Amino acid sequence: MGLENMRGNNVKMRAATENDMTTIWELLQQLSPFLPDRHDAREIWTRFVSQSHLFTCVALVDGTLVGYGCGFVQTTIRGGSFFQIEEIVVASTHQRMGIGGKIVAYLELSVASKNCYKAILSADDKTVKFYERLGYSEVHKTFRKFL
């Protein structure tokens, strides 16, 4: 299935645009309390989309943005490429409707031509089963340090 056919159940998928930012920020409040200053939106968007190998997706139901995902293709020192999924979020009112899975599928299709040998992501305990249903398996523990 091509990216243009990522529809179903009134869900339309497309790449994120600058006009989506404030809604995406509101959705991301489900994952983290950090909320950027809206006055900085244009500068943040410019920096965000200038990153090489960035892939984004928004899910719209009847024209309303209800989901978001993004990730990056990275190249290792040995020359292999992998896809790191950074954020997947669906509005609480639209969870358990298959939208999160469609976002992941859209992102995976977006990077299909990049010859990635794997996709990786971090998940909390609440989302482990979701990612397992999509074919992901737990292989390591994730650590983080805020800088």
Side-chain angles (χ1 to χ4, degrees), residues 19-35:
N19 291 334
D20 300 324
M21 278 190 61
T22 55
T23 304
I24 291 169
W25 288 354
E26 291 167 9
L27 284 174
L28 289 171
Q29 292 290 285
Q30 295 177 149
L31 304 180
S32 163
F34 176 70
L35 186 61

Side-chain angles (χ1 to χ4, degrees), residues 87-106:
E87 297 170 322
I88 302 291
V89 64
V90 175
S92 58
T93 56
H94 288 77
Q95 291 177 359
R96 300 192 180 282
M97 297 179 179
I99 295 170
K102 289 180 183 190
I103 292 170
V104 173
Y106 181 97

Side-chain angles (χ1 to χ4, degrees), residues 47-112:
R47 285 193 337 249
F48 179 65
V49 297
S50 70
Q51 300 174 96
S52 62
H53 306 295
L54 165 70
F55 294 86
T56 65
C57 173
V58 293
L60 300 113
V61 173
D62 298 324
T64 300
L65 196 153
V66 299
Y68 165 74
C70 79
F72 302 87
V73 171
Q74 300 179 38
T75 303
T76 69
I77 190 72
R78 296 185 292 172
S81 294
F82 66 94
F83 184 53
Q84 168 123 20
I85 296 175
E86 180 59 25
E87 297 170 322
I88 302 291
V89 64
V90 175
S92 58
T93 56
H94 288 77
Q95 291 177 359
R96 300 192 180 282
M97 297 179 179
I99 295 170
K102 289 180 183 190
I103 292 170
V104 173
Y106 181 97
L107 291 170
E108 290 172 347
L109 280 170
S110 296
V111 302

Side-chain angles (χ1 to χ4, degrees), residues 38-51:
R38 292 178 191 264
H39 293 99
D40 298 331
R42 182 168 300 264
E43 177 189 343
I44 292 169
W45 177 258
T46 301
R47 285 193 337 249
F48 179 65
V49 297
S50 70
Q51 300 174 96

